[in-house]
Amino acid sequence: MSEDSSSGIVFGTSDTGAGSSRMAQTDSEDLLEKNRAMLIFFGLVEQIQQALKKGAREDQTRSTVQEEGAPEDPWVIHMQKRLMDVPAMLVLSEHLLSSLQEMEEATDLQEMFDVMEVLPDVLSGGCSSCEEFVNEAKK
């Protein structure tokens, strides 16, 4: 490859073999770095949502039966109970901190989605790779 120093344009031939795989790996790493903050945000929100919603359906049914005249929706009562459970919130915060550290250390999109606990969803959605999924999601 050569570079025209006046314009900063890089000229070169198309890579094949090992060079091509390095280029694909670099593209994948660039895609991860460009989207890391967004993926971390969505990963943490997804994990918080899953933790807080755990058992919500059962609690909502019981709340509706037990507190028929209550002015609040059953999900509000459930969230209040969940958020006031200090030991469970400590466990959740430790889990979120661990996940955040793992997401920050992820070296590729597959590892990132695995830490986010959404890898099966990503790969079962009709995309053949994590990179394809991210590119489709951005459209």
Side-chain angles (χ1 to χ4, degrees), residues 18-29:
S20 198
S21 66
R22 272 192 303 250
M23 188 177 211
Q25 184 179 10
T26 302
D27 289 345
S28 177
E29 290 169 359

Side-chain angles (χ1 to χ4, degrees), residues 46-69:
E46 174 68 18
Q47 290 181 20
I48 291 169
Q49 183 180 20
Q50 292 302 318
L52 293 178
K53 288 175 80 174
K54 193 180 297 181
R57 188 162 292 218
E58 296 168 4
D59 285 350
Q60 286 178 5
T61 305
R62 275 188 254 135
S63 296
T64 307
V65 172
Q66 293 173 355
E67 302 172 29
E68 194 62 45

